[in-house]
Amino acid sequence: MKFSESWLREWVNPAISTEELSEQISMAGLEVDGVDPVAADFHGVVVGEVVECGQHPDADKLRVTKVNVGGEELLDIVCGASNCRLGLKVAVATVGAELPGGFKIKKAKLRGQPSHGMLCSFTELGIDVEADGIIELPADAPIGTDIREYLALNDNAIEVDLTPNRADCLGLAGLAREVGVLNRIAVKEPEVAAVEASIDAVHGIRVDAPEHCPRYLGRVVKNINVKAETPLWMQEKLRRGGIRSIDAVVDITNFLLLEYGQPMHAFDLAKLNGDIQVRLATTGDKLTLLDGNAVEPRADTLLIADDNGPLALAGIFGGEHSGVTTETTDVLLECAFFNPLSIIGKARSYGLHTDSSHRFERGVDPQLQAKVMERATALLLSICGGEAGPVVEVKSDAHLPQPATITLRRAKLDALLGHVISDEDVSEILTRLGCEVTVVDGGWQAKAPSWRFDMAIEQDLIEEVARIYGYNNIPNLAPVAELTMTDHTEAKLPLKRVRSLLVDRGYQEAITYSFVDPKQQGRLHPGIEPMVLPNPISSEMSAMRLSLWTGLLGAVAHNQARQQNRVRLFESGLRFIPDANEAMGVRQEPVLAAVIAGTQSDEHWDMAAKTVDFFDLKGDLEAVLALTNTPYEFSFRSAQHPALHPGQCAEILKGDEVVGLIGAIHPQHEKKLGLNGRTIVFEIAQSAILERQLPEAKPVSRFPANRRDIAIVVNESVGGGEVEKVIRKVGGNQLVAVNLFDVYRGKGVNEGQKSLAIALTLQDVERTLEEKEIAQAVENIVATLKSEFNAQLRD
């Protein structure tokens, strides 16, 4: 919101400087972005009148003039502006004047003709106005008056950055009201009297969507002079508010936009066919906007229409066909309240952002339209003449927003502010803000004014009281707080420790998007419908990930495409599994995933280059599992997964529960995913690895340990981990270590079988084990293996 300081001071004029005013507004929560003078620094420029204007004898584009500036003699001035003419009131820089940039006016001769001054354009005075030629002042401009005084150029344009909740300050009236509240002074609002209808002309209005437009006002004004010039005072107010003057009718509607924050529109009455209709768009509706762009409104877009079709996008932009032109004589003024939810987002969906949509989507005062209609009518009649008909209003009280009634508790106010503000000050502040205040037991009850949509709950009132009282007036007191030790369970394994371990083993941590390409994800998880985003960044990022693999494999492909031959990445994050039993229909599970590709190690003179395999990643995963201090609780079991190689895929189990998967990406997916060669991945639930068993100190046995090696022959399908698990189960407390140290296939072992060499270490903490006890323990283990796996001792 940009406004003129002098215009604001017409409404409310506190005895403070521009800097103090800006600081006051900023501290009230309406941040001032900039304060700029409305004109550059200059002096010696006065109002003059061209009393003679003739062609220069030696230059076709120059004119020789005599200008009256109120002195005893007329000034001879040579001017090159095409709009210089007899009788024109102009801005004259007299001899000795200094213009912006340090340019000084001296007596001179141009092509042999004397020139004792300069007729100035807006640009030459450092005024931001788009105009050709010299400044044309009104005919009643007093000759000899300093132009800075006449145009009130000793002024500043202040720009305020408003938060979306303060739509009430998108008009000068709201800003003036705010300054008045802050300084405890009355606001002098221009008197707005009802304009009596001088003709009976009305135009029918039909609101078919009252929930979207609860109030709509229309008024016919006939026989206007649309070519009438906008008064200079209005042009200047518009310019200083950042709006260019166009024509009198448009300027009046824009003036009301700046003054009250209420958008308006004027239709050419001759171009309307039938009643005005406020309705939602239907199939076949088409509209050419004022900027020349054609749109086909969607069904959720509110329109202003007549019997021929759409006239405007309601609350956003007018149509070209029904707009006011230089031939217009009769207009229909409209002024409406649109439900903010009906306008919000619509302008952006059509690639637009207008002053009107900016205000309507934030909310305008629903009680303001009648006043603005009367103000606009009075201005139109005074500038363009004409005759006004009665105001036609269509409204739906059931759909108009009702101001909130809020209870403010004294205890809550004191607790949040940490400071006690007197009852009288609280009541006064709320009253000055426009609230209807009633004192109740333990606090106040306040009915919010119609222009404050953002006042809804108790905390809103507390914020208002604090900012009007002044944040600087609240003393700085150090807070008193009790320190409470956080609950810390040592058995919880920090995820940071897991990440550090993987980094130490040569991995890089990756962070990928939670939304992925549904086509790529479908290759890894066929048959599972992911959660699809309603408004994705792009079609390639429209599905929530079912695992971390999709993002990690994309990162691998990205690196390999940039000549990174050895890639090791891991990521911790959420996967999103569709589940009808969960809130929002999706289950969010924290998991840990990793991927390796390329060579096992960097190139080395003493080692042969070797591609990574399943057991490289399995070893790193087992290092992670070892952090739990219960690695024996975890096991691996052959499995099948559509994304993984059928012979190199295993489930990760904790006890009997499947907690993850590990395996090589299926060769048929490698090229489709952009991968170069063998790629190994795992994913495991964080809940399975973030609990650890605390170590228990035990004395070192004083008695010798005894090692016995056994070699058993089992089928190829039997995993070494399964064998080790059974041995530990039947070995008892005296079995202190189990180690698979050799796997043999070949001569002496039948096809489809393998030999597992296992070292068993037995020891007791109270005595030396006898040979027969050791033998009995080994026999029990062998017997169990035979019954479980049909294992045979190898000869």
Side-chain angles (χ1 to χ4, degrees), residues 311-331:
L311 301 172
L313 298 177
I316 300 174
F317 213 4
E320 184 179 59
H321 167 71
S322 60
V324 174
T325 67
T326 55
E327 306 302 320
T328 300
T329 58
D330 305 329
V331 296

Side-chain angles (χ1 to χ4, degrees), residues 109-416:
K109 284 189 175 183
L110 294 177
R111 296 287 185 92
Q113 296 295 320
S115 185
H116 301 161
M118 186 173 79
L119 305 187
C120 300
S121 67
F122 283 108
T123 302
E124 288 162 340
L125 297 184
I127 301 174
D128 185 19
V129 173
E130 294 181 13
D132 295 328
I134 57 177
I135 300 172
E136 298 187 20
L137 298 175
D140 60 355
I143 295 172
T145 304
D146 190 300
I147 200 72
R148 296 194 72 92
E149 178 184 340
Y150 178 69
L151 294 179
L153 296 179
N154 297 317
D155 186 17
N156 296 294
I158 301 177
E159 187 165 5
V160 178
D161 185 13
L162 298 173
T163 51
N165 65 308
R166 292 308 306 271
D168 61 300
C169 291
L170 283 170
L172 190 85
L175 285 166
R177 187 165 51 229
E178 193 78 4
V179 173
V181 170
L182 294 170
N183 292 279
R184 301 189 180 192
I185 56 177
V187 176
K188 296 178 291 184
E189 183 175 353
E191 184 177 347
V192 180
V195 177
E196 295 293 334
S198 58
I199 57 176
D200 295 331
V202 294
H203 196 87
I205 297 171
R206 189 176 83 232
V207 178
D208 297 332
E211 68 276 17
H212 300 289
C213 177
R215 172 171 273 144
Y216 191 96
L217 281 71
R219 187 172 209 170
V220 172
V221 182
K222 290 192 170 184
N223 301 320
I224 66 170
N225 176 18
V226 76
K227 297 179 182 179
E229 186 175 357
T230 303
L232 187 62
W233 63 266
M234 183 178 287
Q235 291 186 40
E236 280 297 295
K237 283 180 167 62
L238 291 174
R239 177 179 75 83
R240 298 172 197 189
I243 296 179
R244 180 172 60 90
S245 175
I246 298 174
D247 61 55
V249 176
V250 175
D251 287 351
I252 289 169
T253 59
N254 284 337
F255 179 78
L256 270 297
L257 179 84
L258 290 181
E259 187 173 47
Y260 283 101
Q262 171 68 53
M264 295 187 67
H265 189 67
F267 296 107
D268 187 331
L269 189 63
K271 297 176 182 177
L272 302 182
N273 183 19
D275 292 349
I276 288 289
Q277 304 164 25
V278 185
R279 61 173 175 82
L280 292 173
T282 58
T283 303
D285 280 335
K286 294 182 180 180
L287 175 65
T288 301
L289 301 174
L290 284 170
D291 61 2
N293 289 321
V295 297
E296 294 186 14
R298 297 185 305 276
D300 62 347
T301 302
L302 191 66
L303 299 179
I304 309 300
D306 64 3
D307 291 346
N308 289 336
L311 301 172
L313 298 177
I316 300 174
F317 213 4
E320 184 179 59
H321 167 71
S322 60
V324 174
T325 67
T326 55
E327 306 302 320
T328 300
T329 58
D330 305 329
V331 296
L332 174 68
L333 291 177
E334 74 151 21
C335 189
F337 170 79
F338 299 112
N339 188 326
L341 294 178
S342 302
I343 306 298
I344 192 167
K346 297 297 188 301
R348 287 187 292 278
S349 70
Y350 292 104
L352 300 170
H353 181 77
T354 63
D355 289 330
S356 178
S357 66
H358 186 78
R359 286 161 174 79
F360 275 128
E361 66 186 8
R362 285 159 174 77
V364 300
D365 184 354
Q367 304 299 326
L368 186 62
Q369 288 71 43
K371 177 191 290 186
V372 172
M373 179 63 81
E374 298 295 351
R375 174 78 162 147
T377 305
L379 288 171
L380 185 62
L381 295 179
S382 66
I383 297 171
C384 300
E387 302 163 302
V391 176
V392 177
E393 179 181 15
V394 178
K395 69 172 181 174
S396 171
D397 291 326
H399 295 102
L400 282 170
Q402 300 301 316
T405 299
I406 310 163
T407 299
L408 173 61
R409 294 166 291 168
R410 160 58 73 182
K412 187 71 172 180
L413 176 67
D414 295 346
L416 286 185

Side-chain angles (χ1 to χ4, degrees), residues 42-46 77-79 81 83 88-94 97-100 103 105 117-127 132-137 147:
F42 64 86
H43 63 82
V45 183
V46 298
I77 298 176
V78 177
C79 177
N83 63 328
L88 183 66
K89 293 287 182 72
V90 292
V92 184
T94 57
E98 185 172 348
L99 301 185
F103 181 67
I105 303 300
M118 186 173 79
L119 305 187
C120 300
S121 67
F122 283 108
T123 302
E124 288 162 340
L125 297 184
I127 301 174
D132 295 328
I134 57 177
I135 300 172
E136 298 187 20
L137 298 175
I147 200 72

